[in-house]
Structures are given as structure tokens and as C-alpha cells.
């Protein structure tokens, strides 16, 4: 009997919480453009305002500024008693050192490395079958050659370091534009990017776009590449948007500048292209030829000179062929810089007039 009453109280409590939340949101919404946007097969929304409040999990981490204050205090205190000779640290101010500590802490959490012996390495494998696991392999995680069990990203340490380094570069060099990731899985890389922006560029209004179908990869029915088949129907790659939003909440990083675009990229990129003014970093993790041209043909002209494209899937993936075809028909030869054995990036050095008619006609080669 008591359990029944308690369950009812919980339900009423959630309804009351939702009512309060809705009232607060009505008066405090900050939106870069009118949202939510609902298409037939896509949604563009801000989880801060538009996510069902009853599905939101508790915030586990204090806001970044709280960590930074505590870390800076520790660094100043400890630094008064030691001589720092390491080249990487000796010229850092306590504030700069604290920012590095916070960012590296977030990396260990989103990658799952923080869990050490409690973490597992999931063996990457496409298809509907249960995936095997092995003991956590540090070397594989470093290069992103396993999939995390308990963490929030499968990108690996080197690719997380790359996101950090390139964001630091565009901030220091005042390259204008937002951050977008297309293909986010559990959202860990986007969480890290948001963390970097919060501590290195706290007064900016750079938006973080989090784009995914949130139900896995497309079936490759367009047949733009023979290698586009077979990427769908892998349950481990299908992560609901609520899970991803709750990862931002968990780390205390969900705010009005986090925007989700839910749907396959051929559906979400056209409306996003109408709303996005400029980008400083595009991080593509769509694996397939089809998913890659969806993004490049709609957004590459939004990327500022001095900005970067990060290709999570480069060596041996159809997405690499899509980029090379894009380069060829537009007459550009960017310097491709490897990150690890899988990923690479390039810096945009010249404006490109994107030949959108090629996308409309699916004519991606000369």
C-alpha cells in the first residue's frame, strides 16, 4: 500500500517539476534561431528546453568554473613548494594549468579510461549479433581501435587530443564559427568539445551542433559506393538522443548553445545549412560515402578560412573516397594530416564555391 502511494507521489512530483520547468523555460529561453523545428523525418532542437524533463538524469559534475577554481587553488599552493622544469608546464599560469587539468579529466571520463580495470574493450564488429569484449586494452583505446563499454566515445585518446588542439587553435587565432559533429554515438567527443569551449572561450556564443540519426547508420540504398552497404543494423551503434543529452547533463555542460539535429544527414543538413552562419570546426564521423557528401555539400562553404575538417573515418573508409572526389571536382588539394591509424584532418586554406548541383544530381565525380 505504501509503495502504491509512493509511486503516485513520484508521478505527481514529476508532473509538478515539469510544470515548473515549462514555466521557467517560457521566460528564459535563449535560442540562436526559432526552435524546435520538426520536419517529416528530422528534428532540430535544444535539449535544455525541448527534452522531456522527466527523462533528464541528475547532473553529476559541478560546472567547469567550480573545477577551475579548485584546481587553480591546488596548483598555486603546490607550485609554491616545487620547481616545475617540464617544458609543457613551466610557462603555464595556474589558470592555464587548471584549464588543462579540467579538459584532460573530461577526456579520461568520456573515453572510459578513468574506470581502469572496471572498463572493458568491446571488439568492433558490424551486424545484429552480440559483441564480444576483452579486458580493457590501453593501446587499442589510445588509437581508437576498440569500442568503449562504460565510456561515452569510441574515438580514442589521440582523436580527443586532436579535438582539444584544433579548438585551442581556432580560439587563439580568432577563427569565427561554431562547432559541429556529424555522427556522435554517445556524444563523448561533442561533450569534450563543449568542455574545451567552456574553459578556453567562456565568453563566446559558439554553438555546438550535435547531429545524428540516433538510431544507427543509413542502409546505403543510394549505392553511391559499394562499401556503403552493411553499416546499418548494429544495435551497439544505435544510441537514443535522450542518452546523448543526458551525457551533456551529467558533465554539467548542457546549455542553450547545444543544439541537436536528429535524423539522417540528407534530411538534417539542408535545414541546418539555412541556419548556420559560420563554422570553425566540422567533425565528420559518418563512415559512409553517402553520409559524407551530405555534410560536405551542405556545409563546407560555411567553414571559415583557418577552420578545420576532422574525418574520424579516413584510412580504409568510403568517407575518404567521398572527400577525395569532393576535392577533385572542386580543384582543391588540402594537406591531409593523420591523427592515428584511422583518422585524419585538414585545414581550410581557400574559399570554395560548392557545386551543389552535383549533390542534386548525385554526380560526385568528373
Amino acid at each position: 500500500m505504501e509503495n502504491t502511494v509512493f509511486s503516485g507521489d513520484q508521478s505527481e512530483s514529476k508532473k509538478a517539476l515539469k510544470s515548473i520547468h515549462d514555466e521557467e523555460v517560457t521566460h528564459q529561453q535563449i535560442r540562436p534561431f526559432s526552435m524546435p523545428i520538426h520536419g517529416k523525418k528530422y528534428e532540430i532542437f535544444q535539449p535544455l528546453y525541448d527534452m522531456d524533463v522527466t527523462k533528464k538524469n541528475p547532473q553529476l559534475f559541478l560546472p567547469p568554473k567550480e573545477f577551475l577554481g579548485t584546481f587553480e587553488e591546488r596548483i598555486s599552493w603546490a607550485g609554491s613548494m616545487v620547481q616545475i622544469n617540464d617544458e609543457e608546464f613551466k610557462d603555464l599560469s595556474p589558470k592555464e594549468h587548471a584549464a588543462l587539468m579540467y579538459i584532460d579529466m573530461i577526456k579520461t571520463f568520456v573515453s572510459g579510461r578513468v574506470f581502469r580495470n572496471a572498463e572493458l574493450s568491446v571488439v568492433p564488429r558490424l551486424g545484429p549479433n552480440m559483441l564480444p569484449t576483452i579486458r580493457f586494452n590501453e593501446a587499442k583505446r589510445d588509437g581508437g581501435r576498440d569500442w568503449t563499454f562504460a565510456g561515452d566515445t569510441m574515438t580514442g585518446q589521440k582523436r580527443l587530443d586532436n579535438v582539444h588542439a584544433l579548438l585551442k587553435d581556432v580560439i587563439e587565432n580568432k577563427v569565427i564559427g561554431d562547432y559541429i559533429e556529424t555522427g556522435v554515438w554517445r556524444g563523448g567527443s561533442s561533450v569534450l568539445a563543449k568542455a574545451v569551449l567552456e574553459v578556453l572561450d567562456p565568453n563566446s556564443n559558439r554553438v555546438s551542433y550535435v547531429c545524428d540519426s540516433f538510431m544507427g547508420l543509413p542502409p546505403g540504398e543510394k549505392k553511391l559506393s559499394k562499401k556503403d552497404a552493411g553499416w546499418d543494423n548494429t544495435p551497439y551503434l544505435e544510441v537514443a538522443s535522450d542518452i546523448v543529452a543526458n551525457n551533456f547533463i551529467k558533465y554539467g555542460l548542457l546549455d542553450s548553445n547545444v543544439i541537436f539535429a536528429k535524423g539522417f544527414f540528407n534530411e538534417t543538413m539542408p535545414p541546418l545549412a539555412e541556419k548556420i552562419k559560420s563554422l570553425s570546426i566540422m567533425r565528420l564521423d559518418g563512415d559512409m560515402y553517402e553520409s559524407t557528401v551530405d555534410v560536405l555539400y551542405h556545409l563546407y562553404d560555411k567553414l571559415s578560412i583557418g577552420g578545420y575538417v576532422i574525418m574520424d573515418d579516413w584510412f580504409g573508409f568510403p568517407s575518404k573516397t567521398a572527400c577525395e572526389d569532393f576535392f577533385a571536382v572542386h580543384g582543391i588539394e588540402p594537406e591531409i594530416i593523420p591523427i592515428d591509424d584511422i583518422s585524419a584532418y585538414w585545414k581550410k586554406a581557400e574559399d570554395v564555391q560548392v557545386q551543389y548541383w552535383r549533390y542534386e544530381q548525385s554526380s560526385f565525380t568528373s
Side-chain angles (χ1 to χ4, degrees):
M1 190 70 175
E2 290 180 357
N3 286 341
T4 303
V5 173
F6 180 70
S7 177
D9 288 347
Q10 273 192 324
S11 177
E12 291 303 315
S13 177
K14 283 192 172 184
K15 286 180 182 178
L17 182 62
K18 187 176 188 305
S19 177
I20 294 169
H21 170 82
D22 289 345
E23 185 176 346
E24 289 177 346
V25 162
T26 300
H27 293 92
Q28 299 177 9
Q29 288 183 358
I30 302 172
R31 297 191 185 266
F33 49 85
S34 181
M35 282 177 282
I37 300 172
H38 296 284
K40 289 184 178 180
K41 296 182 179 180
Y42 72 88
E43 296 177 57
I44 300 173
F45 62 97
Q46 292 164 288
L48 180 67
Y49 306 131
D50 305 321
M51 182 180 174
D52 183 346
V53 68
T54 64
K55 295 183 178 180
K56 289 184 176 181
N57 291 342
Q59 178 178 322
L60 301 184
F61 284 59
L62 291 171
K65 64 180 180 180
E66 303 293 341
F67 278 102
L68 295 180
T70 299
F71 290 168
E72 190 172 347
E73 183 179 328
R74 170 56 58 89
I75 291 162
S76 297
W77 172 71
S80 68
M81 298 177 282
V82 301
Q83 181 175 339
I84 299 176
N85 297 315
D86 188 282
E87 291 295 327
E88 183 179 354
F89 297 104
K90 69 178 184 179
D91 294 326
L92 292 180
S93 68
K95 184 177 181 179
E96 291 170 330
H97 196 163
L100 181 61
M101 283 178 63
Y102 172 76
I103 291 167
D104 278 355
M105 177 188 74
I106 295 297
K107 290 176 190 176
T108 66
F109 274 90
V110 297
S111 67
R113 297 174 88 121
V114 69
F115 303 115
R116 295 178 61 81
N117 294 332
E119 171 66 326
L120 295 169
S121 287
V122 178
V123 179
R125 192 171 294 174
L126 297 176
N129 297 327
M130 296 284 284
L131 300 180
T133 62
I134 59 174
R135 291 291 297 272
F136 173 53
N137 187 305
E138 191 82 30
K140 286 184 180 294
R141 187 64 49 89
D142 193 50
R145 289 182 288 111
D146 69 342
W147 292 349
T148 183
F149 177 76
D152 304 310
T153 180
M154 59 176 69
T155 54
Q157 186 68 34
K158 291 180 180 179
R159 279 173 259 171
L160 292 174
D161 290 343
N162 172 255
V163 170
H164 176 192
L166 297 189
L167 276 168
K168 185 172 183 287
D169 180 85
V170 298
I171 292 167
E172 290 178 348
N173 289 293
K174 296 180 171 57
V175 178
I176 63 171
D178 300 323
Y179 177 91
I180 190 168
E181 183 162 7
T182 57
V184 304
W185 195 49
R186 296 176 182 172
S189 291
S190 290
V191 165
L192 171 68
K194 180 61 176 172
V196 174
L197 290 172
E198 284 295 299
V199 299
L200 298 187
D201 202 14
N203 297 319
S204 81
N205 287 314
R206 295 183 195 259
V207 172
S208 295
Y209 289 95
V210 181
C211 310
D212 205 291
S213 72
F214 301 105
M215 58 181 184
L217 282 81
E221 293 172 342
K222 294 183 179 180
K223 299 181 180 178
L224 300 181
S225 168
K226 292 180 180 179
K227 294 183 178 180
D228 269 5
W231 292 92
D232 59 335
N233 197 26
T234 302
Y236 204 69
L237 301 181
E238 300 169 6
V239 182
S241 61
D242 288 346
I243 294 174
V244 178
N246 273 316
N247 281 332
F248 278 88
I249 292 171
K250 174 173 65 179
Y251 294 106
L253 292 167
L254 185 66
D255 64 19
S256 61
N257 283 325
V258 175
I259 296 177
F260 278 34
K262 181 178 182 178
F264 290 133
F265 301 152
N266 65 315
E267 299 287 345
T268 57
M269 292 302 111
L272 274 184
E274 294 178 2
K275 302 298 183 182
I276 294 174
K277 294 180 180 178
S278 60
L279 295 166
S280 58
I281 291 183
M282 298 168 57
R283 190 174 194 282
L284 280 65
D285 189 3
D287 301 271
M288 301 165 60
Y289 191 109
E290 173 185 331
S291 299
T292 304
V293 295
D294 286 338
V295 178
L296 288 178
Y297 275 87
H298 284 99
L299 297 183
Y300 195 71
D301 60 351
K302 305 285 184 178
L303 184 65
S304 300
I305 300 296
Y308 295 93
V309 177
I310 306 170
M311 295 299 301
D312 192 79
D313 315 294
W314 186 256
F315 297 102
F317 288 83
S319 52
K320 176 176 183 285
T321 306
C323 291
E324 291 172 336
D325 288 346
F326 183 84
F327 299 158
V329 298
H330 290 95
I332 57 175
E333 296 180 356
E335 179 187 3
I336 305 301
I337 304 170
I339 302 169
D340 54 25
D341 293 338
I342 297 173
S343 304
Y345 72 97
W346 74 83
K347 186 175 186 176
K348 186 176 181 180
E350 57 187 312
D351 280 320
V352 175
Q353 187 170 356
V354 175
Q355 300 172 22
Y356 190 71
W357 64 267
R358 291 185 176 277
Y359 182 81
E360 294 175 314
Q361 297 178 20
S362 295
S363 177
F364 300 114
T365 57
S366 300

